[in-house]
């Protein structure tokens, strides 16, 4: 997932942007969990990009905002796990507004989380303009559109995840397009 976001990050670096990355890891249920800190992500990203990636102790608050405000062009800050706050998954607008204080615009490159109405994916778009798709999100959408609008037959869909409720619409739309649908992950126990 880190490597998949690199083209967008490199594009922003090439255009002298100050980059603030928001991410989540695991399901800490709105509480700080030391095992779910993003320190390894910042370290890995630094290695891949061959440049220092700063990490804040939190994703909101005066200290993290000060770090993002003091970035120079071409510097990167990774905010600590947004899911350490219950407000993230609740799409709390006050929390989204705090996240938005880090930036002037929003680039979403998190295809796996883009369908969720969370503060860091949907809420911030109310406060940041423009809000655009990154290269990874664009690539995934083009691929899916081509596969759905003009599928090569036979077509099988493999759908996984833990929440059936968020997949019902997808499954319903695939029924008349696919020869076979394979359900996996936590969803399999529901069926």
């Amino acid at each position: 997932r880190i490597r998949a976001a690199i083209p967008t990050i490199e594009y922003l670096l090439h255009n002298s942007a100050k980059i603030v990355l928001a991410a989540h890891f695991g399901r800490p249920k709105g509480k700080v969990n030391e095992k779910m800190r993003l320190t390894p992500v910042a370290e890995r990203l630094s290695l891949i990009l061959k440049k220092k990636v700063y990490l804040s102790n939190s994703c909101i608050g005066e200290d993290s905002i000060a770090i993002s405000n003091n970035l120079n062009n071409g510097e990167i800050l990774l905010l600590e796990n947004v899911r350490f706050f219950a407000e993230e998954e609740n799409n709390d607008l006050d929390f989204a507004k705090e996240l938005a204080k880090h930036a002037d615009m929003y680039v979403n490159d998190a295809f796996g989380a883009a369908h969720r109405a969370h503060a860091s994916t949907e809420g911030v778009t109310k406060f940041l303009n423009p809000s655009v798709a990154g290269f990874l999100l664009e690539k995934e959408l083009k691929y899916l559109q081509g596969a759905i609008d003009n599928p090569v037959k036979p077509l099988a869909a493999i759908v996984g995840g833990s929440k059936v409720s968020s997949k019902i619409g997808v499954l319903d739309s695939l029924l008349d397009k696919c020869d076979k649908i394979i359900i996996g992950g936590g969803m399999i126990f529901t069926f």
Side-chain angles (χ1 to χ4, degrees):
R1 290 185 180 170
I2 295 170
R3 286 194 182 280
I6 296 298
T8 299
I9 294 169
E10 286 180 337
Y11 174 82
L12 294 169
L13 287 171
H14 179 72
N15 285 282
S16 300
K18 299 173 185 179
I19 302 172
V20 178
L21 303 171
H24 72 268
F25 175 67
R27 292 189 172 105
K29 300 182 183 190
K31 295 184 180 0
V32 174
N33 181 326
E34 294 301 323
K35 294 179 181 176
M36 296 180 188
R37 289 208 175 267
L38 297 180
T39 305
V41 176
E43 291 169 355
R44 183 71 178 147
L45 196 51
S46 290
L47 285 172
I48 292 169
L49 293 170
K50 297 179 178 73
K51 98 184 280 86
K52 170 83 172 151
V53 173
Y54 299 95
L55 178 65
S56 65
N57 289 328
S58 180
C59 58
I60 60 169
E62 290 180 21
D63 291 343
S64 67
I65 300 290
I67 297 169
S68 61
N69 285 342
N70 288 312
L71 287 176
N72 293 312
N73 292 349
E75 289 186 328
I76 303 170
L77 168 64
L78 174 62
L79 301 176
E80 188 52 88
N81 195 336
V82 293
R83 287 194 178 169
F84 284 174
F85 292 85
E87 295 89 343
E88 160 63 4
E89 292 186 74
N90 295 333
N91 198 9
D92 182 272
L93 285 183
D94 290 332
F95 182 72
K97 190 174 188 176
E98 287 300 307
L99 288 173
K101 288 180 180 180
H102 288 284
D104 297 318
M105 66 176 293
Y106 175 71
V107 179
N108 188 340
D109 225 7
F111 180 77
H115 69 286
R116 294 188 179 104
H118 290 176
S120 66
T121 57
E122 194 270 338
V124 294
T125 65
K126 293 175 175 32
F127 305 102
L128 295 172
N129 187 19
S131 293
V132 300
F135 295 131
L136 175 60
L137 189 60
E138 178 185 45
K139 177 181 165 184
E140 294 280 3
L141 290 173
K142 283 182 181 176
Y143 176 77
L144 280 175
Q145 180 147 9
I148 298 301
D149 291 348
N150 191 20
V152 175
K153 295 286 190 161
L155 178 65
I158 301 170
V159 182
S162 61
K163 296 180 187 167
V164 176
S165 61
S166 67
K167 314 295 187 301
I168 295 294
V170 172
L171 292 169
D172 189 46
S173 69
L174 291 173
L175 285 175
D176 63 340
K177 297 180 187 298
C178 293
D179 301 297
K180 185 172 280 197
I181 298 176
I182 301 166
I183 299 170
M187 290 181 11
I188 199 158
F189 299 112
T190 305
F191 291 101

